[in-house]
Amino acid sequence: MKKTLLAAAVVSLLPHAPSLALESNSQQNEVDETMVVTATRFEQPKSSTIASTDVVTKEQIEQLQLKTLTDVLKWLPGVQVSNNGGQGQSSSVFIRGHASNHVIILVNGVRFGSSTTGSANFTSIPLTGVERVELVRGARAAVYGADAIGGVINIITDAGNITESSGKVSAGFGTDKYAQGNAAASGQIGDNAWFKVGVNAESAEGFDATSEDYSPNQPDKDGFRRQDLSLEIGSQLNEQWRLRANGFYHTSRSEFDGYTDFNTGSLSPIEQDTTLYNISAQLEYAQDNLSSSLTLANNRDETESLHGEFPGSTIATDRFVANWLSIYNVNSNVDVLGGIEYLRDSVADSSLYNTGTGQFQNYDGEKRTNYSGYVSSIAQFDALSLEASLRHDDNDVYGNFTTWQAGVGYKLNNHLRLLASAGTGFKAPTYNDLYWPDYGNSELLPEESLSYEAGFEAMFDIVDFRVVGFHTEVDNLISYQGRGTELESSNATIKGVEIGANFDTGPLSHSVSVDLLDTDNPVNVAGWGEPTKIESKDLSRRANEAYKWLISYERGNAKADLAYLYQGKRFEDTKNEVELDSYHLFDFVLSYQVTPALGVQGKVANLFDEEYETAANYNTQRRAFYANLNYQF
C-alpha cells in the first residue's frame, strides 16, 4: 500500500521511516535514503541521523492544504503551537517544551528572524517556493550557535539543478471569506543554468481575535491579506563549481484588537504591516573528497503597528551573514567539517512608542556582531554511528561562549537501534528583554543549557516505533514573573518522553505520537514589595500531554486523511494562576486527481466544531471548510 502524504506530516519519528507518510515494508529501502542536512550540516541519509529529525515536502504541504509554517509544524511530534487569534495573528511554537526563542529558523541554512523578540515570525514566513521543511528536535547550539536550545527549523527552497520546465497554478477559497491564488514555474536557461519563481496572494475576512470577556465592546472581525514572491536562479559553471542565488519577499497587513481606549473603555483596533525578505547567494565547490561553500545573505524582519490616530512602534531587524564551510571525506567511514561565520544584527531602523511618555525612542545598543568558528564530524562503523560538534562564539555584547554536542547510535540487530546524545547551548537576552520601555531589564544574563537524551528505535514487520527521553536544565531562564514591570531570571528544568509508532490495519495506515512533558520553573510568587517566596511552577502554555493520531487511506486517484490532536491542560501565566482547558481537534482532508494535470482538494478543519483556546482571551477558528483546484503543466 502506498502511504498517504499526511501520515508523514504527523509522525515521521523514525529515522528509518519516511517523512510525512507511511510506506509498506517493501518500499522502506528506498525511503531510507531520504537525505537531510540540518541535523549536523552534513548531507546524510535520514536513517543514519542520531537526532530526531522530520521532513515535510512541498508535495505534502500542497496535498494537506497547509497555509502557514505553524500549520506544518503543529502536526509534528514534540511540537505545540499557540495562536493569538486566527491566521495572520501572532503565533508561538514550543518544541520539547522550549519557547519560540529557544528555536532558530534557517532559510537555506541561513539564520532568519527577529533580534528584538528573539524568534521568527512563524505566521508570516511564506511557504511559497519551499521544497521542504526540516525539523530537528534537541540542542543544536554547537552546530548553529545562540538560541538553538530546543531545536532548529530549516526552510529549504533550493530545487537543485532543474533540467525540465514545469508550472503550476492553483486557486482556493474557504470559510471567513478566505481566498488564495498562487502560481509557480521552473525551467532551464541555456544548457547549464536554471530558474524557479513563485507568487502567492491570500486574504480572509477573519473572525474576532479576542474573546467577548476580553473585549465586549469590540466584536469585530480581524482579517488579513498577504503577498509572497520567491525566486531562485543558478548555474553549474563547470564540473567543480556551482553558483546560485535565491530569495523571498513577503508583505502583509493583519488586523487585531489592541490598546484600551480610556474614553470609551473598549479596545481600539490595530493594523500591523509586516515585511520580510531574505536574499542569499552561494558559491559551491566540489571535487574528489572535498566540498566547500561560501554563503552571503541579507534579510529583514519588520513590523509596524498602526493605531489609527495614535502612533505605533516600528520593530525591524536587519541581519547580514557570511558563512564559509568545508567538508572533507576522510574515508568511507569518517567525514569532518570546519567553518567560520560572521553575523551582524542591526535594529537601528526601529522606533519604540513609549505610551508613558508619549515619545518615540530607540533601542540602546543598535548593533551586534558575532564571530564564530565550528568543527564537526560524523562517523559510521558498521553498527556504530557517531557525531560530535564544537563551536565558539565571540559576540561584542554578551562575550564568549563555547558549546559542544556529541551523539552515538548503536544497532543491536536488524530490528533495534539504541540512541544517546548530549549538548550545551546558550541564548543571549533579546533587545526587548534588555531595553523595552518599562519592561526590559539591562541586568539580565545569557541563558545557558545542558541537554541530554536517550532512547531506541525499532522496526518490525507489523510496526515501527521510536521512544526517546530527554532532559534539559536551563540556567537564567528569562521570563516575566508578574511582580513588577521588569523581566526576571530563574533556573528551569524541562524533561519528557516522545513515543511514535507507524503501522497498518488492512487498507488503513496509522501514525501515532505521544508527547509527555514535565517542566519545573521556580518563580517568585510574592507580590510587589513583599518578601521573596519561591515556588515551583509549570512553564506557561506547555501541556504535559499531547497525542496525535493520523489515519490515511488511498484508493485509485482518491486520498483521504483523518488527523486527530489532543492537547492537555496548561497554564497561561508564569505563576500558574490561569488554567487553559484541554481540547480535541479533528481535521479531514480529501483529494482527487481528476486527470494527471488537474486535481481537486477539500478540507474540513476542526471537524467537530470544538471551542477551545491556545492562549487566554484569544479565540480560535471553529469548524472551517476549504476547497482548492490546481493544474500542472
Side-chain angles (χ1 to χ4, degrees):
M1 176 195 305
K2 184 177 180 182
K3 186 169 43 168
T4 61
L5 297 171
L6 185 55
V10 176
V11 190
S12 51
L13 277 171
L14 304 173
H16 55 264
S19 299
L20 289 186
L22 288 173
E23 300 288 348
S24 63
N25 292 332
S26 63
Q27 295 171 296
Q28 287 185 358
N29 289 335
E30 178 181 351
V31 173
D32 281 348
E33 298 310 310
T34 299
M35 305 301 289
V36 295
V37 297
T38 308
T40 59
R41 287 189 189 262
F42 294 94
E43 185 178 43
Q44 60 186 127
K46 186 173 180 287
S47 59
S48 70
T49 60
I50 296 171
S52 298
T53 303
D54 297 291
V55 182
V56 184
T57 67
K58 174 180 66 175
E59 291 77 17
Q60 293 157 352
I61 292 171
E62 294 173 350
Q63 162 68 21
L64 300 174
Q65 299 186 59
L66 302 175
K67 308 300 183 184
T68 65
L69 182 60
T70 51
D71 283 344
V72 174
L73 297 172
K74 76 175 183 179
W75 294 108
L76 297 176
V79 179
Q80 299 183 32
V81 172
S82 174
N83 296 305
N84 290 359
Q87 192 173 345
Q89 309 293 310
S90 61
S91 299
S92 299
V93 173
F94 304 95
I95 297 179
R96 285 188 173 177
H98 292 274
S100 298
N101 56 14
H102 281 187
V103 179
I104 66 171
I105 295 287
L106 306 174
V107 178
N108 297 319
V110 176
R111 183 164 180 160
F112 184 84
S114 170
S115 294
T116 57
T117 64
S119 64
N121 190 331
F122 288 96
T123 301
S124 297
I125 292 176
L127 296 178
T128 306
V130 170
E131 294 294 323
R132 68 184 191 274
V133 177
E134 295 185 7
L135 166 66
V136 180
R137 297 185 298 281
R140 293 285 116 179
V143 182
Y144 293 104
D147 306 344
I149 294 176
V152 175
I153 301 165
N154 193 6
I155 302 167
I156 299 171
T157 66
D158 179 20
N161 294 12
I162 297 172
T163 58
E164 295 182 358
S165 296
S166 65
K168 185 174 184 177
V169 294
S170 67
F173 61 93
T175 300
D176 297 322
K177 296 185 179 179
Y178 173 83
Q180 180 185 30
N182 58 59
S186 61
Q188 282 189 292
I189 305 173
D191 295 330
N192 301 311
W194 68 90
F195 78 94
K196 186 183 76 167
V197 62
V199 294
N200 176 69
E202 203 171 349
S203 66
E205 185 179 71
F207 55 90
D208 193 8
T210 54
S211 66
E212 184 177 350
D213 293 337
Y214 185 67
S215 56
N217 298 323
Q218 195 186 41
D220 63 333
K221 293 184 177 181
D222 300 303
F224 77 97
R225 62 180 183 270
R226 64 182 293 168
Q227 299 83 36
D228 305 304
L229 170 68
S230 68
L231 180 66
E232 176 182 334
I233 187 169
S235 176
Q236 190 69 42
L237 304 177
N238 54 43
E239 291 185 359
Q240 290 79 38
W241 293 92
R242 184 174 87 144
L243 177 65
R244 62 184 175 91
N246 51 44
F248 72 80
Y249 180 83
H250 161 90
T251 180
S252 63
R253 172 167 289 190
S254 299
E255 302 168 347
F256 58 96
D257 298 329
Y259 68 94
T260 300
D261 187 327
F262 294 102
N263 294 321
T264 64
S266 65
L267 288 176
S268 296
I270 296 176
E271 292 184 322
Q272 180 173 281
D273 287 345
T274 299
T275 301
L276 307 177
Y277 69 75
N278 180 75
I279 303 171
S280 65
Q282 187 171 66
L283 180 63
E284 301 171 337
Y285 171 83
Q287 186 174 22
D288 300 328
N289 294 345
L290 176 66
S291 61
S292 187
S293 66
L294 173 65
T295 301
L296 302 177
N298 190 77
N299 56 62
R300 184 178 179 91
D301 183 316
E302 177 186 340
T303 59
E304 180 183 5
S305 299
L306 308 174
H307 296 250
E309 297 179 358
F310 292 89
S313 298
T314 297
I315 312 297
T317 295
D318 288 293
R319 175 174 287 137
F320 173 78
V321 179
N323 190 324
W324 171 81
L325 67 86
S326 292
I327 298 174
Y328 183 71
N329 176 230
V330 178
N331 53 45
S332 60
N333 303 109
V334 180
D335 292 307
V336 295
L337 174 152
I340 56 175
E341 183 178 80
Y342 168 79
L343 183 149
R344 183 187 70 243
D345 285 334
S346 173
V347 295
D349 289 344
S350 299
S351 59
L352 315 180
Y353 182 68
N354 190 322
T355 56
T357 64
Q359 302 293 322
F360 284 96
Q361 65 185 70
N362 296 324
Y363 287 104
D364 293 333
E366 295 180 344
K367 293 183 180 181
R368 286 178 177 175
T369 58
N370 191 88
Y371 300 88
S372 60
Y374 51 89
V375 293
S376 298
S377 180
I378 58 173
Q380 184 71 48
F381 302 98
D382 296 325
L384 180 65
S385 302
L386 300 170
E387 68 172 42
S389 300
L390 183 68
R391 179 180 174 115
H392 182 77
D393 287 88
D394 180 6
N395 191 281
D396 62 354
V397 174
Y398 53 83
N400 293 272
F401 278 88
T402 299
T403 50
W404 59 267
Q405 176 86 33
V408 59
Y410 186 76
K411 193 172 183 179
L412 294 176
N413 51 48
N414 291 333
H415 301 289
L416 188 64
R417 184 180 184 223
L418 304 180
L419 303 165
S421 63
T424 59
F426 74 101
K427 174 193 171 297
T430 68
Y431 283 94
N432 287 357
D433 293 338
L434 296 170
Y435 307 122
W436 190 267
D438 300 322
Y439 177 76
N441 181 356
S442 60
E443 302 300 319
L444 292 171
L445 299 174
E447 301 175 359
E448 299 183 58
S449 70
L450 171 63
S451 301
Y452 47 92
E453 62 184 84
F456 65 93
E457 59 190 26
M459 183 172 68
F460 297 95
D461 291 338
I462 60 174
V463 64
D464 301 335
F465 62 93
R466 176 185 174 105
V467 179
V468 174
F470 56 88
H471 184 108
T472 301
E473 298 174 358
V474 184
D475 294 337
N476 306 318
L477 179 69
I478 299 169
S479 64
Y480 178 64
Q481 300 183 12
R483 295 178 60 248
T485 58
E486 291 187 342
L487 295 168
E488 299 183 44
S489 295
S490 59
N491 297 331
T493 301
I494 302 173
K495 55 187 176 181
V497 177
E498 292 175 353
I499 305 170
N502 298 337
F503 58 94
D504 292 347
T505 56
L508 302 178
S509 297
H510 303 262
S511 291
V512 180
S513 70
V514 176
D515 297 320
L516 305 176
L517 192 66
D518 182 14
T519 63
D520 179 11
N521 184 31
V523 300
N524 187 357
V525 298
W528 183 251
E530 297 178 355
T532 298
K533 183 180 179 181
I534 303 298
E535 292 184 3
S536 178
K537 300 294 182 181
D538 291 343
L539 290 170
S540 61
R541 296 191 182 179
R542 283 81 148 179
N544 291 333
E545 298 175 307
Y547 307 104
K548 300 169 187 179
W549 190 326
L550 182 64
I551 304 174
S552 301
Y553 175 80
E554 179 177 354
R555 179 167 182 159
N557 293 335
K559 299 178 182 178
D561 301 282
L562 178 65
Y564 166 72
L565 183 151
Y566 169 79
Q567 197 87 338
K569 293 182 178 180
R570 58 249 178 266
F571 294 99
E572 169 68 20
D573 59 319
T574 307
K575 290 185 178 181
N576 294 180
E577 296 174 338
V578 178
E579 186 177 68
L580 301 175
D581 292 335
S582 61
Y583 62 90
H584 305 261
L585 288 181
F586 291 85
D587 283 2
F588 178 71
V589 181
L590 180 65
S591 64
Y592 186 78
Q593 199 67 33
V594 181
T595 70
L598 179 64
V600 294
Q601 300 166 309
K603 179 177 182 178
V604 185
N606 194 0
L607 181 64
F608 295 105
D609 200 23
E610 178 90 348
E611 184 176 359
Y612 67 102
E613 287 182 321
T614 61
N617 299 316
Y618 286 94
N619 294 321
T620 51
Q621 191 171 42
R622 304 294 293 270
R623 184 188 297 117
F625 301 89
Y626 299 95
N628 191 70
L629 180 70
N630 60 77
Y631 181 78
Q632 302 182 57
F633 55 91

